[in-house]
Structures are given as structure tokens and as C-alpha cells.
């Protein structure tokens, strides 16, 4: 998988929040083989480096870091947070979140496009957290984004892919754009479904961090992502409305 000119070995991305302990977080990443870790800038304190221990832990994971603007509800807040992230993590990559609705955590489409345009003009490589809306996707690409991250369901719900039609339509509309299903996944089977639809990767956090055994769940998601990608690349059969015998009937013995 190639994102903004960088090769990423794994198609599974994991968040770093809500784990019961640093040791559990590290083991989950080890079992998952995840290639990217998302990190909230709010874990770091610019002057005193209060989040220094956490940052040391993330660096020890040996994965690519994708800072995010989680919790930002305005363009100004998101842009400022992204600028902080660039200084703290020494990267131009940023997962852009501009939240528009407090209950569903749905992105603000207008603020998202505006913030994406500002950040790309400043040299950022923007990974926008968006919905499956095709028009919004087109606007984000026009603003300079080269990757899209549509949600499967609202953040932290575990509902899976709530709008399969919309996700299929989005994937078909922009076949050459790298896309990551981000948020709302609860089970490995849901990740496999996203990969079977042709999505390039999945990003999740709560489903692993809040599992009874986060490391085992991370392992399950890793296998599901691999299986789903293999199925997509194998060009699966089209579903049919009528049964079709899998055993040939020509030459079958019969009685008169």
C-alpha cells in the first residue's frame, strides 16, 4: 500500500487511545502487525512535554505515526492542532478531523474541505476523516487530498458498515484513490467486508482497545484484513438469485 509516496507494509491501522496499559497497547500492536499508529496531539504538552513517556512508547512500536486532530470542532482549531502536530512529531502527515455533530461525531463537511485546503496549501499530507458522501469526496480531492478516510459508522459504536451501498458507490466512483475505512468497526468480519469491497485499508481503535483481550482481537483483525484483501484480489464470483449445481450433471447415471 502506497500513501503519499510512502510504502506501508500492513493494511491495518490502529489507534493508540483507551488501552488498559502501555504494555497491552504494545502487545496489541505487535500481534496486529499494524503499519500506522494514529496519535492524538492532545496527548502531548508543547512546552513541558508532559506526554513524553507516551511518545517514547509510540516510537518504540516501530510504525509510521499519523497524528490526528481528534476533538476539533472548528477549522481554526483543526489547523492549529495540525501545525502543532507537525512540530511535535516531525511529519507532514495528519489525519484531519473537523467534528460537526456532538452526538454522532459526524464530520463538518464545509469545515473539513476548508481546513483540508488550508493544510494542503501549507504542505501537509492530509488524511481526511469523512463520510461516504461522493460529492464531499470530490471536494476533498479538489482541495488537494490524495487519500480519503470514510467512516463505516460513528466513532466508537462498533456498528460496522452501516451504509454498504454508499461505501460501494464511493469506492466505484474513485477507483484509483487510496481509501481507508475509518471508525465504527467492531468485529474482524466487518473489516474483512470492507477489504472485500476494494478498500485499501481499515483504521480502528475502540474495537481492539476495549476488547477483553486486546492483543487477541488485534490479531483477529489483522487476519481478517489479509483475508479480505486476498478475496478482493482473487476477483470473487458474482452472487446469483438462482441455485446453480457445483457438481456437473452431464454424464450422471440415471435409471429408466
Amino acid at each position: 500500500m502506497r500513501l503519499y509516496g510512502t510504502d506501508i507494509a500492513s493494511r491495518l491501522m490502529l489507534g493508540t487511545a483507551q488501552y488498559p496499559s502501555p504494555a497491552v497497547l504494545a502487545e496489541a500492536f505487535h500481534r496486529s502487525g499494524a503499519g500506522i499508529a494514529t496519535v492524538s496531539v492532545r496527548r502531548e504538552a508543547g512546552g513541558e512535554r508532559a506526554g513524553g513517556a507516551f511518545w517514547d512508547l509510540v516510537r518504540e512500536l516501530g510504525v509510521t505515526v499519523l497524528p490526528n486532530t481528534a476533538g476539533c470542532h472548528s477549522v481554526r482549531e483543526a489547523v492549529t492542532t495540525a501545525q502543532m502536530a507537525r512540530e511535535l512529531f516531525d511529519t507532514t502527515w495528519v489525519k484531519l478531523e473537523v467534528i460537526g455533530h456532538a452526538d454522532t461525531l459526524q464530520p463538518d463537511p464545509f469545515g473539513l474541505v476548508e481546513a483540508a485546503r488550508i493544510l494542503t496549501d501549507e504542505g501537509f499530507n492530509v488524511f481526511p476523516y469523512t463520510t461516504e458522501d461522493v460529492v464531499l469526496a470530490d471536494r476533498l480531492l479538489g482541495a488537494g487530498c490524495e487519500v480519503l478516510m470514510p467512516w463505516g459508522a460513528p466513532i466508537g459504536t462498533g456498528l460496522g458498515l452501516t451504509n454498504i451501498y454508499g461505501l460501494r458507490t464511493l469506492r466505484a466512483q474513485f477507483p484509483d484513490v487510496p481509501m481507508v475505512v475509518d471508525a465504527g468497526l467492531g468485529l474482524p468480519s466487518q473489516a474483512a467486508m470492507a477489504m472485500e469491497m476494494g478498500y485499501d485499508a481499515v483504521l480502528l481503535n475502540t474495537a481492539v482497545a476495549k476488547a477483553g483481550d486486546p492483543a487477541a482481537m488485534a490479531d483477529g483483525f489483522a487476519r481478517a484484513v489479509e483475508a479480505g484483501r486476498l478475496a478482493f484480489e482473487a476477483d470473487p464470483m458474482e452472487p446469483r438469485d438462482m441455485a446453480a449445481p457445483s457438481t456437473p450433471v452431464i454424464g450422471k447415471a440415471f435409471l429408466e
Side-chain angles (χ1 to χ4, degrees), residues 72-218:
C72 293
H73 290 259
S74 70
V75 172
R76 181 178 180 181
E77 186 180 15
V79 169
T80 300
T81 302
Q83 292 167 339
M84 291 171 55
R86 180 165 56 185
E87 298 301 320
L88 289 168
F89 299 107
D90 190 27
T91 179
T92 57
W93 282 23
V94 64
K95 179 190 169 190
L96 177 62
E97 297 184 26
V98 183
I99 302 302
H101 192 271
D103 292 333
T104 64
L105 301 181
Q106 179 169 327
D108 172 1
F110 309 102
L112 186 63
V113 172
E114 182 180 350
R117 182 172 290 111
I118 293 171
L119 291 173
T120 53
D121 286 346
E122 291 187 8
F124 282 88
N125 302 125
V126 179
F127 294 69
Y129 164 63
T130 181
T131 65
E132 69 279 12
D133 187 282
V134 171
V135 176
L136 175 54
D138 189 55
R139 296 291 187 274
L140 289 168
L141 294 173
C145 299
E146 297 180 12
V147 177
L148 297 175
M149 303 184 77
W151 66 354
I155 295 171
T157 61
L159 292 173
L161 309 180
T162 57
N163 184 0
I164 292 177
Y165 169 80
L167 288 168
R168 287 190 187 280
T169 301
L170 181 64
R171 178 70 281 182
Q173 188 69 31
F174 305 101
D176 299 323
V177 176
M179 291 191 192
V180 181
V181 171
D182 173 20
L185 299 182
L187 294 169
S189 58
Q190 297 161 354
M193 181 181 294
M195 299 303 295
E196 289 167 0
M197 291 165 56
Y199 279 84
D200 297 277
V202 297
L203 169 59
L204 53 123
N205 189 161
T206 309
V208 169
K210 290 298 187 180
D213 186 339
M217 185 63 79

Side-chain angles (χ1 to χ4, degrees), residues 41-51 84 87-88:
V41 178
R42 297 169 189 268
R43 291 180 180 274
E44 295 279 345
E48 301 176 358
R49 301 284 293 176
M84 291 171 55
E87 298 301 320
L88 289 168

